[in-house]
């Protein structure tokens, strides 16, 4: 009884997937053509030296994003130095059991520092790779 209901449910799900597959491929074609139109519009704006995109000046947007990045980087540096000091003081003044806990916390601290200080390099690398793909 349960097996027959399971087979019926699986058959219905399979039929729905088979019916909807051609619709999905049509939607994908539309999506691809829309993406190509978007890229071509950007290329035309670059060729015409138009620095506004959607009513926004690119230089102004870049200035704001650079400011926000620098603020977050400053906060990250201050936080990493403060946390490093706290972990260092705990490591020096604690006993054997506490030192083991501090060593465990140092792993997360080092990963966080790599993310904070490497984020700009990762971002520039990604931008360089994706602009060369154009």
């Amino acid at each position: 009884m349960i097996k027959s209901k399971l087979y019926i449910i699986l058959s219905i799900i399979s039929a729905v997937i088979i019916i909807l597959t051609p619709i999905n491929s049509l939607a994908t074609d539309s999506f691809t053509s829309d993406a190509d139109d978007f890229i071509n519009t950007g290329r035309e704006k670059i060729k015409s030296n138009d620095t506004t995109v959607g009513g926004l000046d690119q230089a102004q947007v870049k200035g704001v994003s650079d400011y926000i990045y620098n603020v977050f980087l400053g906060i990250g540096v201050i936080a990493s130095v403060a946390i490093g000091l706290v972990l260092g003081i705990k490591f020096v003044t604690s006993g054997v059991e506490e030192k083991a806990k501090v060593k465990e916390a140092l792993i997360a601290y080092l990963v966080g520092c790599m993310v904070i200080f490497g984020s700009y390099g990762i971002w520039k690398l990604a931008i360089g790779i994706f602009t060369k793909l154009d």
Side-chain angles (χ1 to χ4, degrees), residues 66-89:
D66 287 345
Y67 176 76
I68 291 171
Y69 170 77
N70 288 329
V71 167
F72 282 127
L73 181 64
I75 292 170
V77 168
I78 291 169
S80 64
V81 168
I83 292 171
L85 284 172
V86 169
L87 287 175
I89 292 170

Side-chain angles (χ1 to χ4, degrees), residues 9 17 24 42 44 68-69 82 107 112-113:
I9 291 171
I17 290 173
N24 252 354
E44 290 171 7
I68 291 171
Y69 170 77
I107 295 171
C113 285

Side-chain angles (χ1 to χ4, degrees), residues 27-107:
T28 304
D29 292 339
S30 172
F31 178 75
T32 305
S33 66
D34 289 344
D36 289 338
D37 290 342
F38 177 77
I39 290 172
N40 290 332
T41 303
R43 285 186 181 146
E44 290 171 7
K45 284 195 175 274
I46 290 171
K47 287 179 184 175
S48 67
N49 291 328
D50 186 6
T51 60
T52 60
V53 176
L56 295 174
D57 186 19
Q58 289 180 352
Q60 183 181 11
V61 172
K62 185 179 182 322
V64 170
S65 66
D66 287 345
Y67 176 76
I68 291 171
Y69 170 77
N70 288 329
V71 167
F72 282 127
L73 181 64
I75 292 170
V77 168
I78 291 169
S80 64
V81 168
I83 292 171
L85 284 172
V86 169
L87 287 175
I89 292 170
K90 276 186 178 181
F91 187 77
V92 170
T93 61
S94 63
V96 176
E97 291 179 13
E98 286 293 319
K99 285 185 180 182
K101 290 180 183 178
V102 170
K103 284 182 182 180
E104 289 176 7
L106 278 175
I107 295 171

Side-chain angles (χ1 to χ4, degrees), residues 2-15:
I2 294 175
K3 285 186 180 181
S4 63
K5 288 182 181 181
L6 183 63
Y7 288 129
I8 291 171
I9 291 171
L10 288 176
S11 299
I12 292 171
I13 291 172
S14 299

